[in-house]
Amino acid sequence: MGRHSRKGPEPAGPNTDAGLANGDGGREGVHPGPGSGRRRRVADAQAGADGHTPFQQAGHVRGGHPEQREPGGGWGTGPQQTVPRRQPPVGTRPLIPGPRREFVEAFDAPPAPPAPRGPTVPPARPADPYSSVGEWAEQPPSGAAAPTPTESGREGRGTRGRTFTGMAAAAVTAVLAVVVAGQVAHDSGGTSAAQPTGVDRDGVDGASRSDDRPMPKAAQAKPLSYAEKMAKAYPLSPELHGSGKFEAVPGAVKAPGRGHKYRYRIDVEKGLGLDAAFFARAVQETLNDDRSWAHDGAMTFERISSGDPDFVITLASPGTTGDWCRKSGLDTTEDNVSCDSAATERVMINAYRWAQGSSTFGPDKLFAYRQMLINHEVGHRLGHNHVSCRTPGALAPVMQQQTKSLRIGGIKCRPNAWVYPVD
């Protein structure tokens, strides 16, 4: 197509035409610098001493496209007719043919602006396709100042980024609105429309919110067995002096065997904090064991809680035990032991020894020590006195004072709980 129109005076002079005639407009191998499609003004170039103006329109084609090598190239050759040579006025530089319009439109078209968010603005009047390249490149639309290439690129990318960010934010807002609306409807008593297929829900609020759902029961500790209680120590001070008031353990247990029957009652001092029913069971099972005084049917023991007993087995604090033992001329305070207060109806069991045991048996033989304590004191009530061990390493007799020591007269024996032990 012919010469592009441009602003400025028409170039004249033989040097310009000579340059055209010599094929300056069709040169190849010139690598243009970076640009946005806008041509630099011709006035920016300085003429040489011979009047030749350096080529100013060189600009790299974006995207790395190769240059055209057809006759004239992508820059055109300008008019070929002979023009009379004229000397250009002083200060005026000859014009160089500009790039073809299709190349400018292909690589330098600005990105389309995003759709407006505010009030609808009438579209701008399309540019005249036949206007000059210079006018199209130099005049910004609507009279606004033309942005620089760097600003144009940043503006386009920033606008697209903001557009995508806005779309993503709108999508997230829509999803949150749906979730909140569904939760509000569910909490207000409405049924949710997004229930899983095939899942039946009873009630309006669903099974997970039902008021009829049973509450989980608190985990309860398994009660200790009789053997575990007999092997367990209980806290009690060795200097405790209780109230001195007793309370009979209710209930009765028949004598299980034959032979002479002894009836007894169990009293427990108030305020000890010990299990009275457990103590009563321990007494009954120990006395009627075949290794005890009921061995081979010689006698049997029956617990009562009312009536006239043969004796009263009493669990009392160390202070109260001392008081009752003193009535029979016995001192139990020196070693904090138990006694049979023969002048009274009471067989006194020191609650401290029952709860803590003794060093002679140790903490791992509390079960056996408690059995020995019952058999020893009831043995006194049945008429038996103290007996010492005579064979080293043998089982100590049940009537030996095993709470005090297992070594008597230089002979040490092993602890023993029974009248008739099975060694």
Side-chain angles (χ1 to χ4, degrees):
M1 59 193 273
R3 178 187 299 273
H4 296 285
S5 62
R6 66 174 72 236
K7 290 184 178 182
E10 182 69 15
N15 293 337
T16 302
D17 293 335
L20 295 177
N22 293 332
D24 293 341
R27 68 176 64 184
E28 296 179 356
V30 179
H31 297 282
S36 62
R38 296 178 55 197
R39 294 188 296 109
R40 301 178 182 176
R41 298 178 181 270
V42 180
D44 296 338
Q46 299 294 332
D50 55 355
H52 176 71
T53 303
F55 187 70
Q56 299 295 329
Q57 189 58 33
H60 280 294
V61 179
R62 296 183 181 177
H65 296 280
E67 297 181 1
Q68 298 291 337
R69 297 184 180 274
E70 60 187 4
W75 304 102
T77 58
Q80 302 299 323
Q81 67 273 16
T82 303
V83 182
R85 297 178 179 270
R86 292 184 297 174
Q87 185 68 23
V90 178
T92 303
R93 300 185 180 92
L95 298 178
I96 303 302
R100 294 182 182 178
R101 182 174 183 79
E102 56 268 22
F103 280 83
V104 176
E105 293 177 349
F107 299 107
D108 296 333
R117 297 187 182 181
T120 304
V121 180
R125 184 179 62 181
D128 185 4
Y130 297 101
S131 62
S132 65
V133 176
E135 293 176 351
W136 175 80
E138 296 175 4
Q139 293 182 1
S142 303
T148 62
T150 303
E151 293 174 351
S152 298
R154 292 179 180 174
E155 180 180 0
R157 289 192 297 270
T159 303
R160 287 193 296 271
R162 288 192 296 272
T163 301
F164 291 141
T165 303
M167 293 172 63
V172 172
T173 303
V175 171
L176 291 176
V178 172
V179 172
V180 173
Q183 184 65 35
V184 171
H186 186 76
D187 293 341
S188 61
T191 58
S192 174
Q195 294 181 357
T197 304
V199 177
D200 297 331
R201 293 187 179 272
D202 299 330
V204 177
D205 293 335
S208 62
R209 295 177 179 266
S210 175
D211 294 335
D212 299 332
R213 182 176 60 183
M215 296 297 293
K217 296 181 179 179
Q220 296 180 354
K222 182 180 177 180
L224 297 177
S225 65
Y226 169 74
E228 291 172 336
K229 289 181 178 180
M230 286 289 284
K232 176 179 171 55
Y234 303 97
L236 197 138
S237 172
E239 299 177 357
L240 178 64
H241 197 301
S243 62
K245 297 180 179 180
F246 304 105
E247 186 176 27
V249 177
V253 181
K254 293 292 183 179
R258 65 186 186 275
H260 181 77
K261 182 191 301 184
Y262 288 94
R263 298 196 308 172
Y264 69 93
R265 188 182 78 230
I266 292 183
D267 287 353
V268 176
E269 186 177 10
K270 295 180 179 180
L272 287 181
L274 298 176
D275 191 341
F278 163 63
F279 174 73
R281 179 182 175 180
V283 171
Q284 178 70 8
E285 291 192 13
T286 299
L287 292 178
N288 285 288
D289 193 288
D290 189 60
R291 294 169 290 180
S292 184
W293 301 111
H295 174 69
D296 203 17
M299 60 189 71
T300 185
F301 298 87
E302 179 177 291
R303 182 171 72 86
I304 63 175
S305 57
S306 62
D308 188 14
D310 295 314
F311 52 88
V312 178
I313 300 178
T314 306
L315 182 65
S317 63
T320 302
T321 298
D323 294 341
W324 280 87
C325 291
R326 211 169 7 252
K327 293 179 181 182
S328 300
L330 302 172
D331 184 9
T332 61
T333 60
E334 183 178 352
D335 296 309
N336 213 354
V337 294
S338 304
C339 81
D340 169 40
S341 182
T344 68
E345 62 177 359
R346 297 188 181 276
V347 176
M348 302 302 297
I349 304 296
N350 191 319
Y352 169 73
R353 293 300 180 182
W354 172 259
Q356 294 290 316
S358 70
S359 61
T360 55
F361 278 71
D364 58 334
K365 293 183 179 180
L366 266 173
F367 197 130
Y369 175 81
R370 287 165 177 161
Q371 292 171 325
M372 185 276 299
L373 189 61
I374 295 170
N375 283 326
H376 182 91
E377 300 306 333
V378 172
H380 281 304
R381 175 63 57 163
L382 296 175
H384 298 279
N385 295 320
H386 288 146
V387 177
S388 299
C389 176
R390 297 183 181 275
T391 304
L395 292 175
V398 72
M399 295 308 297
Q400 181 172 319
Q401 293 177 302
Q402 297 182 64
T403 297
K404 293 182 177 181
S405 175
L406 290 174
R407 183 184 296 272
I408 303 294
I411 300 175
K412 184 178 181 181
C413 296
R414 291 180 292 147
N416 172 46
W418 301 108
V419 180
Y420 301 95
V422 179
D423 193 1

